[in-house]
Amino acid sequence: MSQTTLHQFLQQRGSKEPGLNALLLQITVACQAIAKQVEQGALAGIIGSAGSGNVQGETQQKLDILSNDILLQECVKEASLAAMASEEMETIHPANANGEYLLLFDPLDGSSNIDVNVSIGTIFSVLRKKHQGAAHENDFLQVGREQLLAGYVVYGPQTTLVFTLGQGVHMFTFDHQTQQFVLIKENIQVQADTKEFAINMSNMRHWAAPVKRYVDECLLGVEGARQKDFNMRWIASMVADVHRILCRGGVFMYPWDKRDPTKPGKLRLMYEANPMSWLIEQAGGASINGTQSILDIPPEKLHQRVSVILGSKNEVSRIQNYHQNG
Ligand code: AHG
Ligand code: MN
Ligand code: MN
């Protein structure tokens, strides 16, 4: 069987902008280095807390910081890159003043799963710098629909890369023998209907009424309004939950809840919600904050949080309906 490597794929069906293809390759170089550390685990001394907090007040794991450093170190080498922003850094990190792209990343998604050997990943998003000269923080504040490239690498039983350049979603698995990412699925489509949902049920008492109604109906199964039984999965790594949805459908929710009504959600718009929403939409699914498409939300600040509901189109539209019509 002839195999298509990521390099070959980008030559044949990549972006018309060579700098964007080069940046994607450079991101995968960083992710390969992160994957090596993840595989070594305790042997590489990467398990456990770093004893520090990030700008959002979350405790950082050693691997959060290490992954962030690897991405900075590798991606700065790419001449087309102007600057980077990360969930783990308060302000932006300049790369090359003449560069034309802006890179945003969640260097390590699923921090609570690092120490227990459950799938984790890196999520990335690329925007255009729209002027000459050095990049500023404001340049990053673009709606999700303006993304040029979005994707993730999941470090699970396999190391798998998934990305979109705006023309479908493609999946590659890392082959340790050849040290190459190899194409395994092109133009992935998320099925429109599903019988599987993902939400952290321990927050149930804090949910808003539309989310509670949706989940209650799923739980009633064949005996309720939905007239079918549902299954539930919650990996607690968005990257792995979204990967499952791209592979076999489903709906993922980390909605706004009443714990802190001033907080729009837990997940971050720029590093998590936007790239995942674009991937899901590119694969025929949908993504909302409850009422509005996530990709249309104008960001006000880099570390903005948002309510996220995404996945199989008909389920997401049902949940949107519950939000709009009660
Ligand atoms: P991160 O590790 O980058 O902070 O993100 C963790 C996020 C997301 O990946 C996951 O879906 C969610 O937090 C899990 O939250 P709970 O621990 O509340 O279930
Ligand atoms: Mn994350
Ligand atoms: Mn993270």
Side-chain angles (χ1 to χ4, degrees), residues 221-295:
V222 281
E223 287 143 42
R226 301 300 307 273
Q227 298 183 316
K228 58 179 184 179
D229 288 334
F230 279 78
N231 185 29
M232 195 204 82
R233 287 287 181 274
W234 183 250
I235 303 174
S237 296
M238 183 195 203
V239 72
D241 279 310
V242 169
H243 189 68
R244 184 189 60 254
I245 289 171
L246 284 170
C247 292
R248 69 172 191 213
V251 60
F252 169 94
M253 291 168 277
Y254 212 120
W256 171 90
D257 67 43
K258 294 176 201 146
R259 275 176 293 179
D260 178 356
T262 60
K263 212 165 135 183
K266 173 176 179 177
L267 299 175
R268 281 127 303 207
L269 176 64
M270 308 297 286
Y271 314 112
E272 297 169 317
N274 273 344
M276 294 313 208
S277 298
W278 198 34
L279 286 170
I280 291 287
E281 274 204 14
Q282 276 287 312
S287 174
I288 54 167
N289 64 355
T291 50
Q292 185 187 9
S293 169
I294 286 188
L295 295 176

Side-chain angles (χ1 to χ4, degrees), residues 16 47 87 105 118 152 217 245 276 279:
K16 294 198 170 46
I47 300 296
E87 179 186 286
F105 48 79
V118 172
Y152 62 79
E217 288 179 359
I245 289 171
M276 294 313 208
L279 286 170

Side-chain angles (χ1 to χ4, degrees), residues 28 31 35 120-122 124 151-163 170-176 181-185 188 239 243 246-247:
T28 67
C31 291
I120 50 182
T122 297
F124 54 89
Y152 62 79
V153 173
V154 59
Y155 313 113
Q158 299 110 44
T159 295
T160 298
L161 163 73
V162 175
F163 69 85
H170 316 298
M171 200 177 277
F172 295 73
T173 293
F174 188 67
D175 181 348
H176 284 270
F181 278 101
V182 176
L183 180 67
I184 52 164
K185 239 188 232 172
I188 296 161
V239 72
H243 189 68
L246 284 170
C247 292

Side-chain angles (χ1 to χ4, degrees), residues 104-160:
L104 299 106
F105 48 79
D106 175 354
L108 204 285
D109 178 66
S111 298
S112 73
N113 283 325
I114 301 169
D115 292 2
V116 292
N117 196 8
V118 172
S119 294
I120 50 182
T122 297
I123 308 172
F124 54 89
S125 161
V126 175
L127 297 163
R128 193 180 304 287
K129 188 190 75 181
K130 295 176 178 168
H131 60 83
Q132 301 288 312
H136 307 286
E137 192 168 310
N138 281 346
D139 299 333
F140 286 78
L141 304 182
Q142 303 180 30
V143 290
R145 253 176 234 295
E146 296 201 72
Q147 290 173 102
L148 303 173
L149 162 66
Y152 62 79
V153 173
V154 59
Y155 313 113
Q158 299 110 44
T159 295
T160 298

